[in-house]
């Protein structure tokens, strides 16, 4: 069974701190997406990771992909309140299915 | 460039009533998706279209759900009759081609069945 598991599912952190969200998946794929969703809003694409070892950074967020370990990480550096949202990883399989994780609810406290 | 447009944003209906959602994808995007998102969970694919062809509808509950994309552009998703458990957010997304490209999501329709 294809599974995409995120942890933690809920994260409360102080401004200025660093933290990492993990996304594990159960089948081979070399295409993984990270999305952000604000309450009541749509999903916004953050990163598309296309191959093993891919690393992408945008502002305080950095995403990486290790296809051998079937693991992607989203690292938050010096968190600010505006980063509070739910973050989803999603795996694209060979059959053009995209499977989403359950999401990580991030709350950054001022 | 306009994003994916969905309507209505909110819908409240009584159980056993029909309901329909509409989606207009980004211009030039051949692939259209309908997702279901329950509270506190990630989106789950209901159906994927390549142009006007439904290429993956394995997760669509066909006894009460139907979808169409007649001219390969706009799409509608219908539920008839609605059940209490159908209360969720229905998201439409589009991408340029196939399933291996980045998908752009609409704001969703929040359905409440009472």
């Amino acid at each position: 069974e294809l599974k995409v598991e995120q942890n933690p599912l809920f994260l409360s952190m102080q401004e200025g701190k660093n933290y990492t969200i993990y996304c594990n998946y159960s089948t081979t794929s070399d295409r993984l997406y990270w999305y952000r969703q604000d309450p009541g809003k749509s999903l916004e694409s953050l990163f598309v990771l296309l191959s093993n070892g891919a690393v992408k950074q945008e502002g305080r967020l950095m995403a990486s992909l290790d296809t051998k370990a079937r693991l992607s990480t989203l690292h938050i550096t010096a968190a600010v309140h505006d980063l509070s949202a739910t973050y989803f990883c999603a795996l694209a399989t060979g059959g053009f299915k995209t499977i989403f994780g359950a999401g990580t609810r991030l709350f950054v406290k001022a | 460039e306009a994003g994916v447009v969905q309507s209505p944003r909110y819908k409240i209906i009584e159980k056993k009533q029909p309901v329909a959602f509409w989606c207009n994808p980004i211009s030039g995007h051949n692939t259209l998706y309908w997702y279901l998102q329950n509270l506190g969970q990630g989106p789950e694919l209901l159906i994927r279209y390549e142009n006007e062809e439904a290429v993956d509808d394995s997760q669509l509950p066909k006894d009460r759900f139907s979808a169409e994309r007649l001219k390969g552009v706009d799409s509608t998703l219908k539920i008839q009759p609605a059940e209490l458990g159908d209360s969720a957010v229905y998201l439409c997304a589009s991408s340029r081609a196939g399933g291996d490209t980045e998908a752009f999501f609409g704001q969703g329709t929040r359905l409440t069945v009472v």
Side-chain angles (χ1 to χ4, degrees):
Chain A
E1 182 187 353
L2 176 59
K3 289 184 179 180
V4 179
E5 295 183 341
Q6 288 183 236
N7 73 83
L9 297 181
F10 181 79
L11 176 58
S12 178
M13 56 191 296
Q14 293 287 141
E15 276 194 332
K17 298 293 187 182
N18 304 332
Y19 209 82
T20 300
I21 298 170
Y22 297 89
C23 175
N24 291 274
Y25 54 93
S26 62
T27 190
T28 56
S29 173
D30 57 4
R31 188 176 295 262
L32 191 134
Y33 306 91
W34 282 96
Y35 287 89
R36 168 179 172 150
Q37 187 176 36
D38 291 287
K41 301 291 182 62
S42 187
L43 281 80
E44 172 191 355
S45 178
L46 294 175
F47 300 108
V48 181
L49 302 171
L50 300 178
S51 60
N52 186 43
V55 177
K56 290 194 174 179
Q57 183 163 3
E58 180 73 34
R60 301 175 187 273
L61 300 177
M62 183 174 70
S64 66
L65 179 62
D66 181 344
T67 58
K68 294 180 181 178
R70 299 182 184 176
L71 171 69
S72 180
T73 61
L74 181 66
H75 186 73
I76 303 157
T77 302
V80 293
H81 181 68
D82 286 352
L83 289 179
S84 298
T86 299
Y87 293 86
F88 293 96
C89 66
L91 180 73
T93 71
F96 299 120
K97 286 185 183 292
T98 302
I99 310 296
F100 282 78
T104 296
R105 285 181 188 74
L106 171 66
F107 179 65
V108 181
K109 295 181 286 188
Chain B
E1 178 185 83
V4 177
V5 179
Q6 291 187 245
S7 68
R9 288 292 313 279
Y10 305 93
K11 190 74 176 179
I12 302 174
I13 61 170
E14 294 183 344
K15 62 181 180 182
K16 301 184 181 179
Q17 294 302 305
V19 64
F21 314 125
W22 175 80
C23 173
N24 181 240
I26 293 173
S27 178
H29 282 194
N30 297 326
T31 305
L32 184 145
Y33 314 78
W34 282 103
Y35 283 90
L36 165 72
Q37 186 176 23
N38 286 304
L39 187 64
Q41 297 182 25
E44 300 170 33
L45 181 69
L46 290 173
I47 190 168
R48 176 170 68 92
Y49 283 93
E50 294 291 342
N51 299 303
E52 65 273 13
E53 182 182 359
V55 295
D56 184 355
D57 62 356
S58 57
Q59 302 302 312
L60 190 71
K62 298 181 183 65
D63 56 336
R64 297 184 300 106
F65 286 65
S66 64
E68 60 183 15
R69 193 184 185 199
L70 293 176
K71 296 184 179 179
V73 182
D74 295 4
S75 177
T76 56
L77 178 68
K78 298 178 182 178
I79 308 174
Q80 182 170 10
E83 296 179 353
L84 295 176
D86 296 332
S87 296
V89 175
Y90 293 81
L91 294 165
C92 179
S94 68
S95 64
R96 284 196 177 83
D100 277 357
T101 59
E102 186 180 4
F104 296 84
F105 283 80
Q107 290 196 295
T109 296
R110 182 176 296 277
L111 173 67
T112 302
V113 183
V114 297

